[in-house]
Amino acid sequence: MIEISFRQFYGNEHKKIIAKLEKSWINLHDLTEFAKDFGINDIFQDNGAKILQQLVYLNMKLLPGREGNDCVSASGREWEMKSINLDTTASGFSTNHHLTKEIIAKYRKVSWTFAIYHGISLEEIYIMPPEILEPFYQGWEKKLDTISHLNNPKIPLRFVQEHGIKVYPIDENNPIDPDSI
């Protein structure tokens, strides 16, 4: 067993690290309070901080609950939100762990947002109307003719980048208002 004295453990270098953490943590309290205005109670749960960032850039509000669509735009249009962290996965955007024909019917009625991250750094956001995703819906439905549900089929990143409408980063070529599309 290694014995470390209290003085060694809380030496000057460790005190500096603690001070740095505490200074940064104060900003997280501000971010948490800001997130509550958007219906996000915990920025550390379910990608809360990333969802907050997307809602702000897209001028949307989170819809309450875990069932149904994810957010609503200023015009009242509902949206499905997806994100990917390229530092941890590159296989595509997750859909639903128990995808059924009923969920596909819901997906057909709404547009989608796709946010691309490297770690916590937002790189791009694309939007896509449901018609563009129709080939996926049809393929999934065909598979569902023989099974009860699909386990999280993916929408490929490349497909989103090739067929989606880029709205972030914001510049004159990337319209930010999804409702204007």
Side-chain angles (χ1 to χ4, degrees), residues 16-171:
K16 289 177 188 175
I17 292 169
I18 290 171
K20 184 176 181 178
L21 173 68
E22 289 176 348
K23 181 179 177 185
S24 298
W25 210 264
I26 288 170
N27 293 327
L28 293 175
H29 287 284
D30 293 340
L31 187 61
T32 296
E33 289 305 310
F34 181 63
K36 288 179 182 176
D37 293 338
F38 288 83
I40 299 168
N41 293 319
D42 187 342
I43 60 171
F44 292 116
Q45 290 284 6
D46 300 325
N47 282 325
K50 288 180 179 179
I51 290 170
L52 171 64
Q53 187 179 35
Q54 294 165 55
L55 292 171
V56 169
Y57 283 125
L58 297 171
N59 191 27
M60 295 187 183
K61 296 286 184 186
L62 192 66
L63 288 171
R66 302 276 302 171
E67 300 297 321
N69 300 315
D70 297 317
C71 60
V72 62
S73 62
S75 71
R77 190 167 147 200
E78 292 189 6
W79 293 74
E80 186 69 22
M81 294 178 78
K82 299 297 176 189
S83 65
I84 189 170
N85 179 354
L86 297 178
D87 290 351
T88 59
T89 186
S91 60
F93 292 88
S94 295
T95 55
N96 189 294
H97 289 289
H98 293 92
L99 187 71
T100 63
K101 288 185 178 185
E102 293 78 20
I103 293 171
I104 294 170
K106 175 192 78 133
Y107 284 169
R108 278 192 167 107
K109 295 177 183 175
V110 298
S111 295
W112 293 49
T113 71
F114 295 93
I116 301 167
Y117 284 86
H118 275 286
I120 64 167
S121 297
L122 179 60
E123 302 294 327
E124 298 172 317
I125 300 176
Y126 292 84
I127 61 171
M128 193 175 293
E131 305 82 56
I132 296 176
L133 295 165
E134 187 60 32
F136 291 99
Y137 304 148
Q138 290 176 10
W140 297 336
E141 283 177 324
K142 189 172 184 133
K143 291 177 184 177
L144 287 167
D145 286 340
T146 58
I147 56 176
S148 64
H149 72 276
L150 295 175
N151 184 10
N152 204 12
K154 305 283 192 273
I155 298 172
L157 172 64
R158 182 173 298 278
F159 180 86
V160 169
Q161 290 175 315
E162 289 175 359
H163 299 282
I165 300 164
K166 191 179 202 180
V167 296
Y168 182 90
I170 303 166
D171 63 34

